[in-house]
Amino acid sequence: MQRLVVALVGTPNVGKSTIFNRIIGERKAIIDDTRGVTRDRIYGTASWLTKTFGVIDTGGIEIKNVPFQTEIRLQAEIAINEADVIVFLTDAKLGVTNDDIFIAKMLQKSKKKVILAVNKVDDFSLISRVNDFYELGFGTPLPLSGVHGTGIGDLLDQIVAFIKEDYLEEAAVSEATIALIGQVNVGKSSLVNAMLNEERVVVSPVAGTTRDSIDTTF
């Protein structure tokens, strides 16, 4: 069996990329207050208590048909299918939203193990709101603050608790690294998808569709 894989899933602007960067210990995913910055799947590796696991950051899922939502949801669904454990991130400041309920139904259908985390609990005044998220049906919500880093250790404890002895550590592999670089709209993402024979990255005629640096094995 391969190593444990964890996917971060939630609505736009709940702090998935902030949590992703904290978990892997490097600034790999772009963080911005603008909604919908993350569009593709971003992969990383994390270690906690001598245990290693894979992490996938995803774009924000929402009901409203905003630009790129179909492509973002497809990328998130692929991540859910690949993952062993889902960290369902919500926003304490917004409370339970219709988008949260929509995602909860998606995850219930997936039959995957789900850790419900409530982000943006940046001060004690928001602690009382965490209990509202019991409504989503995934047990006790875990309060977090991605900005301050509080609760991240508790989240990691819950994740590694799922790692069993039959999960393997990935052996170090010597491999060549190739970067595709060019100006906007020359077809870099289309070429990547053609090489991999899958919809690995979002493709559109809109300039600047790809924002994060996307890595994958070929």
Side-chain angles (χ1 to χ4, degrees):
M1 184 182 290
Q2 295 180 344
R3 69 180 179 183
L4 185 85
V5 176
V6 179
L8 307 183
V9 176
T11 62
N13 273 27
V14 293
K16 295 183 297 298
S17 294
T18 299
I19 300 295
F20 174 82
N21 287 346
R22 281 198 176 274
I23 289 176
I24 67 172
E26 62 177 294
R27 191 178 176 87
K28 187 172 186 179
I30 294 174
I31 298 174
D32 193 270
D33 291 334
T34 306
R35 293 173 67 88
V37 169
T38 303
R39 293 169 177 170
D40 297 287
R41 305 183 324 270
I42 306 173
Y43 290 77
T45 300
S47 295
W48 183 251
L49 300 177
T50 72
K51 296 181 178 180
T52 303
F53 57 94
V55 191
I56 311 174
D57 187 20
T58 65
I61 300 172
E62 52 188 322
I63 301 171
K64 188 177 179 181
N65 187 22
V66 296
F68 296 104
Q69 180 54 211
T70 300
E71 293 82 0
I72 289 171
R73 191 180 301 176
L74 173 62
Q75 293 289 320
E77 288 173 348
I78 293 172
I80 291 169
N81 289 334
E82 291 181 353
D84 304 291
V85 177
I86 311 296
V87 175
F88 179 13
L89 280 166
T90 56
D91 188 331
K93 295 179 180 178
L94 293 179
V96 178
T97 65
N98 289 333
D99 288 331
D100 289 330
I101 294 171
F102 175 77
I103 295 171
K105 291 178 180 178
M106 282 180 59
L107 298 181
Q108 286 161 355
K109 291 178 182 178
S110 74
K111 306 295 183 183
K112 296 296 178 78
K113 300 166 185 174
V114 177
I115 298 172
L116 175 60
V118 183
N119 192 28
K120 301 187 182 180
V121 184
D122 300 328
D123 58 67
F124 288 111
S125 66
L126 295 169
I127 289 290
S128 61
R129 298 189 184 184
V130 174
N131 290 334
D132 296 341
F133 291 86
Y134 274 102
E135 173 188 343
L136 297 174
F138 294 107
T140 303
L142 177 65
L144 301 176
S145 173
V147 172
H148 300 297
T150 55
I152 300 298
D154 295 329
L155 174 61
L156 291 168
D157 284 342
Q158 290 196 26
I159 290 172
V160 298
F162 288 109
I163 299 179
K164 302 175 182 178
E165 293 182 0
D166 53 353
Y167 281 108
L168 303 177
E169 298 290 341
E170 286 193 343
V173 178
S174 178
E175 51 187 31
T177 302
I178 301 170
L180 296 184
I181 298 175
Q183 62 182 351
V184 295
N185 275 22
V186 293
K188 300 182 296 295
S189 295
S190 297
L191 179 57
V192 169
N193 288 346
M195 291 171 65
L196 299 173
N197 195 28
E198 65 171 294
E199 295 300 315
R200 175 62 185 86
V201 287
V202 174
V203 174
S204 88
V206 177
T209 295
T210 302
R211 291 166 170 174
D212 290 283
S213 174
I214 307 300
D215 58 350
T216 189
T217 300
F218 171 58

Coordinates of all heavy atoms in Angstrom, one line a residue, residues 134-184:
Y134 N -21.4 21.1 14.0 CA -21.9 19.8 14.2 C -23.0 19.4 13.2 O -23.2 18.3 12.8 CB -22.5 19.6 15.6 CG -21.4 19.3 16.7 CD1 -20.9 20.3 17.5 CD2 -21.0 18.0 16.8 CE1 -20.0 20.0 18.5 CE2 -20.0 17.7 17.8 CZ -19.6 18.7 18.7 OH -18.6 18.4 19.6
E135 N -23.7 20.5 12.7 CA -24.8 20.3 11.8 C -24.4 19.6 10.5 O -25.2 18.9 9.9 CB -25.3 21.7 11.4 CG -26.4 21.7 10.3 CD -26.7 23.2 9.9 OE1 -26.4 24.1 10.6 OE2 -27.3 23.3 8.8
L136 N -23.1 19.7 10.2 CA -22.6 19.1 8.9 C -22.5 17.6 9.0 O -22.3 16.9 8.0 CB -21.3 19.7 8.5 CG -21.4 21.2 8.2 CD1 -20.0 21.8 7.9 CD2 -22.3 21.5 7.0
G137 N -22.5 17.0 10.2 CA -22.6 15.5 10.4 C -21.3 14.8 10.3 O -21.2 13.6 10.0
F138 N -20.2 15.5 10.7 CA -18.9 14.8 10.7 C -18.2 14.8 12.1 O -17.0 14.8 12.2 CB -17.9 15.5 9.7 CG -18.4 15.3 8.3 CD1 -18.9 16.4 7.6 CD2 -18.3 14.1 7.6 CE1 -19.3 16.3 6.2 CE2 -18.7 13.9 6.3 CZ -19.2 15.0 5.6
G139 N -19.0 14.8 13.1 CA -18.5 14.7 14.5 C -18.0 16.0 15.0 O -18.4 17.1 14.6
T140 N -17.1 15.9 15.9 CA -16.6 17.1 16.7 C -15.8 18.0 15.8 O -14.7 17.5 15.2 CB -15.8 16.7 17.9 OG1 -16.6 15.8 18.7 CG2 -15.3 17.9 18.7
P141 N -16.2 19.3 15.6 CA -15.4 20.2 14.7 C -14.1 20.5 15.4 O -14.0 20.7 16.7 CB -16.3 21.4 14.5 CG -17.6 21.0 15.0 CD -17.4 19.9 16.0
L142 N -13.0 20.7 14.7 CA -11.7 21.0 15.2 C -11.4 22.5 14.9 O -11.3 22.9 13.8 CB -10.6 20.2 14.6 CG -9.1 20.5 15.0 CD1 -8.9 20.2 16.5 CD2 -8.2 19.6 14.1
P143 N -11.3 23.4 16.0 CA -11.0 24.8 15.7 C -9.6 25.0 15.3 O -8.6 24.4 15.9 CB -11.3 25.4 17.1 CG -11.1 24.4 18.1 CD -11.5 23.1 17.4
L144 N -9.4 25.9 14.3 CA -8.0 26.2 13.8 C -7.9 27.7 13.6 O -8.9 28.4 13.4 CB -7.8 25.5 12.5 CG -7.8 24.0 12.3 CD1 -7.6 23.6 10.9 CD2 -6.8 23.3 13.2
S145 N -6.6 28.1 13.5 CA -6.3 29.4 13.0 C -5.1 29.3 12.1 O -4.0 29.1 12.6 CB -6.0 30.5 14.1 OG -5.6 31.7 13.5
G146 N -5.4 29.2 10.8 CA -4.3 29.1 9.8 C -3.3 30.3 9.9 O -2.1 30.1 9.7
V147 N -3.8 31.5 10.2 CA -3.0 32.7 10.3 C -2.0 32.6 11.4 O -0.8 32.9 11.3 CB -3.8 33.9 10.4 CG1 -3.0 35.1 10.7 CG2 -4.6 34.1 9.1
H148 N -2.5 32.1 12.6 CA -1.7 32.1 13.8 C -1.1 30.7 14.0 O -0.2 30.6 14.9 CB -2.5 32.5 15.0 CG -3.1 33.9 14.9 ND1 -2.3 35.0 14.9 CD2 -4.4 34.3 14.9 CE1 -3.1 36.1 14.8 NE2 -4.4 35.7 14.8
G149 N -1.5 29.7 13.3 CA -1.0 28.4 13.5 C -1.6 27.6 14.6 O -1.1 26.4 14.9
T150 N -2.5 28.1 15.3 CA -3.1 27.4 16.5 C -4.0 26.2 15.9 O -4.7 26.4 15.0 CB -4.0 28.3 17.3 OG1 -4.9 29.0 16.5 CG2 -3.1 29.3 18.0
G151 N -3.9 25.1 16.6 CA -4.7 23.9 16.2 C -4.1 23.1 15.2 O -4.6 22.0 14.9
I152 N -3.0 23.5 14.5 CA -2.4 22.8 13.4 C -1.9 21.4 14.0 O -2.0 20.4 13.3 CB -1.3 23.6 12.7 CG1 -1.9 24.9 12.1 CG2 -0.7 22.7 11.6 CD1 -3.0 24.6 11.1
G153 N -1.2 21.5 15.1 CA -0.7 20.3 15.7 C -1.8 19.3 16.0 O -1.6 18.1 15.8
D154 N -2.9 19.8 16.5 CA -4.1 18.9 16.8 C -4.6 18.2 15.5 O -4.9 17.0 15.4 CB -5.2 19.6 17.5 CG -4.8 20.1 18.8 OD1 -4.0 19.4 19.5 OD2 -5.3 21.2 19.3
L155 N -4.6 19.0 14.4 CA -5.0 18.5 13.1 C -4.1 17.4 12.6 O -4.5 16.4 12.2 CB -5.1 19.7 12.1 CG -5.4 19.2 10.6 CD1 -6.8 18.6 10.5 CD2 -5.3 20.5 9.7
L156 N -2.8 17.7 12.7 CA -1.8 16.7 12.3 C -1.9 15.4 13.1 O -1.7 14.3 12.6 CB -0.4 17.3 12.4 CG -0.1 18.4 11.4 CD1 1.2 19.1 11.7 CD2 0.0 17.8 10.0
D157 N -2.2 15.6 14.4 CA -2.3 14.4 15.3 C -3.5 13.5 14.8 O -3.4 12.3 14.7 CB -2.7 14.8 16.7 CG -1.4 15.3 17.5 OD1 -0.3 15.0 17.0 OD2 -1.6 15.9 18.5
Q158 N -4.6 14.1 14.4 CA -5.7 13.4 13.9 C -5.4 12.7 12.5 O -5.9 11.6 12.3 CB -6.9 14.3 13.7 CG -7.5 14.8 15.0 CD -8.9 15.3 14.9 OE1 -9.7 15.0 13.9 NE2 -9.3 16.2 15.8
I159 N -4.6 13.4 11.7 CA -4.3 12.9 10.4 C -3.4 11.6 10.6 O -3.7 10.6 10.0 CB -3.5 13.9 9.5 CG1 -4.5 15.0 9.1 CG2 -2.9 13.2 8.3 CD1 -3.9 16.2 8.4
V160 N -2.3 11.7 11.3 CA -1.4 10.6 11.4 C -2.0 9.4 12.2 O -1.5 8.3 12.1 CB 0.0 11.0 12.1 CG1 0.7 12.1 11.3 CG2 -0.2 11.5 13.5
A161 N -3.1 9.7 12.9 CA -3.8 8.6 13.6 C -4.4 7.6 12.6 O -4.6 6.4 12.9 CB -4.9 9.1 14.5
F162 N -4.5 8.0 11.4 CA -5.1 7.2 10.3 C -4.0 6.3 9.6 O -4.3 5.4 8.9 CB -5.8 8.0 9.2 CG -7.1 8.6 9.7 CD1 -7.3 9.9 9.9 CD2 -8.2 7.7 9.9 CE1 -8.5 10.4 10.3 CE2 -9.4 8.2 10.3 CZ -9.6 9.6 10.5
I163 N -2.7 6.7 9.9 CA -1.6 6.0 9.3 C -1.4 4.6 10.0 O -1.1 4.6 11.1 CB -0.3 6.8 9.3 CG1 -0.5 8.1 8.5 CG2 0.8 6.0 8.7 CD1 0.7 9.0 8.5
K164 N -1.6 3.6 9.2 CA -1.4 2.2 9.8 C 0.0 1.7 9.3 O 0.6 2.2 8.5 CB -2.5 1.3 9.2 CG -3.9 1.8 9.6 CD -5.0 0.9 9.0 CE -6.4 1.5 9.3 NZ -7.5 0.7 8.7
E165 N 0.3 0.6 9.9 CA 1.6 0.0 9.6 C 1.8 -0.4 8.2 O 2.9 -0.5 7.7 CB 1.9 -1.2 10.5 CG 2.0 -0.8 12.0 CD 2.3 -2.0 12.9 OE1 2.4 -3.2 12.3 OE2 2.4 -1.9 14.1
D166 N 0.7 -0.7 7.5 CA 0.8 -1.2 6.1 C 0.9 0.0 5.1 O 1.0 -0.2 3.9 CB -0.4 -2.1 5.7 CG -1.7 -1.5 6.0 OD1 -1.8 -0.4 6.6 OD2 -2.8 -2.1 5.6
Y167 N 0.9 1.2 5.6 CA 1.2 2.4 4.7 C 2.7 2.4 4.6 O 3.4 2.4 5.5 CB 0.6 3.7 5.3 CG -0.8 3.9 5.0 CD1 -1.7 3.8 6.1 CD2 -1.3 4.1 3.8 CE1 -3.1 4.0 5.9 CE2 -2.7 4.3 3.5 CZ -3.6 4.2 4.6 OH -4.9 4.4 4.4
L168 N 3.2 2.6 3.3 CA 4.6 2.6 3.1 C 5.1 4.0 2.9 O 4.4 4.9 2.5 CB 4.9 1.8 1.8 CG 4.3 0.4 1.7 CD1 4.6 -0.2 0.3 CD2 5.0 -0.5 2.8
E169 N 6.4 4.1 3.3 CA 7.1 5.4 3.0 C 7.6 5.3 1.6 O 8.1 4.3 1.1 CB 8.3 5.5 4.0 CG 7.9 5.6 5.5 CD 7.2 6.9 5.8 OE1 7.3 7.9 5.0 OE2 6.5 7.0 6.8
E170 N 7.5 6.4 0.9 CA 8.0 6.5 -0.5 C 9.5 6.5 -0.5 O 10.1 7.3 0.2 CB 7.5 7.7 -1.2 CG 6.0 7.6 -1.6 CD 5.6 8.7 -2.6 OE1 6.3 9.6 -2.7 OE2 4.5 8.5 -3.2
A171 N 10.1 5.6 -1.3 CA 11.5 5.6 -1.4 C 12.0 6.7 -2.3 O 11.3 7.2 -3.2 CB 12.0 4.2 -2.0
A172 N 13.2 7.2 -1.9 CA 13.7 8.3 -2.7 C 14.1 7.8 -4.1 O 14.7 6.8 -4.3 CB 15.0 8.9 -2.1
V173 N 13.6 8.6 -5.1 CA 13.9 8.2 -6.5 C 14.6 9.3 -7.2 O 14.3 10.5 -7.1 CB 12.5 7.9 -7.2 CG1 12.8 7.6 -8.7 CG2 11.7 6.9 -6.5
S174 N 15.7 8.9 -7.9 CA 16.4 9.9 -8.7 C 15.7 10.1 -10.0 O 15.4 9.1 -10.8 CB 17.8 9.3 -9.0 OG 18.6 10.2 -9.8
E175 N 15.3 11.3 -10.4 CA 14.6 11.5 -11.6 C 14.9 12.9 -12.1 O 15.4 13.8 -11.4 CB 13.1 11.5 -11.3 CG 12.6 12.3 -10.1 CD 11.2 12.1 -9.8 OE1 10.6 11.0 -10.0 OE2 10.6 13.1 -9.3
A176 N 14.8 13.0 -13.5 CA 15.0 14.3 -14.1 C 13.8 15.2 -13.9 O 12.7 14.8 -13.8 CB 15.2 14.1 -15.6
T177 N 14.1 16.5 -13.8 CA 13.1 17.5 -13.6 C 13.0 18.4 -14.8 O 14.0 18.9 -15.3 CB 13.3 18.4 -12.4 OG1 13.4 17.5 -11.2 CG2 12.2 19.4 -12.2
I178 N 11.8 18.6 -15.4 CA 11.6 19.4 -16.6 C 10.6 20.5 -16.3 O 9.6 20.3 -15.6 CB 11.0 18.5 -17.7 CG1 12.0 17.4 -18.1 CG2 10.7 19.4 -19.0 CD1 11.4 16.4 -19.0
A179 N 10.9 21.7 -16.6 CA 10.0 22.8 -16.4 C 9.5 23.4 -17.8 O 10.3 23.5 -18.7 CB 10.7 24.0 -15.7
L180 N 8.2 23.6 -17.9 CA 7.6 24.2 -19.1 C 7.4 25.7 -18.8 O 6.6 26.0 -17.9 CB 6.3 23.5 -19.4 CG 6.3 22.0 -19.8 CD1 5.0 21.6 -20.2 CD2 7.3 21.8 -20.9
I181 N 8.0 26.5 -19.5 CA 8.0 28.0 -19.3 C 7.7 28.7 -20.6 O 8.1 28.3 -21.7 CB 9.3 28.5 -18.7 CG1 9.6 27.8 -17.4 CG2 9.3 30.0 -18.6 CD1 11.0 28.2 -16.8
G182 N 6.8 29.7 -20.5 CA 6.5 30.5 -21.7 C 5.6 31.6 -21.4 O 5.1 31.7 -20.2
Q183 N 5.3 32.5 -22.3 CA 4.3 33.6 -22.1 C 2.9 33.0 -22.0 O 2.6 31.8 -22.2 CB 4.5 34.6 -23.2 CG 4.1 34.1 -24.5 CD 4.3 35.2 -25.6 OE1 4.5 36.4 -25.3 NE2 4.2 34.8 -26.8
V184 N 2.0 33.9 -21.6 CA 0.6 33.5 -21.4 C 0.0 33.0 -22.7 O 0.3 33.5 -23.8 CB -0.3 34.6 -20.8 CG1 0.2 35.0 -19.4 CG2 -0.2 35.8 -21.7

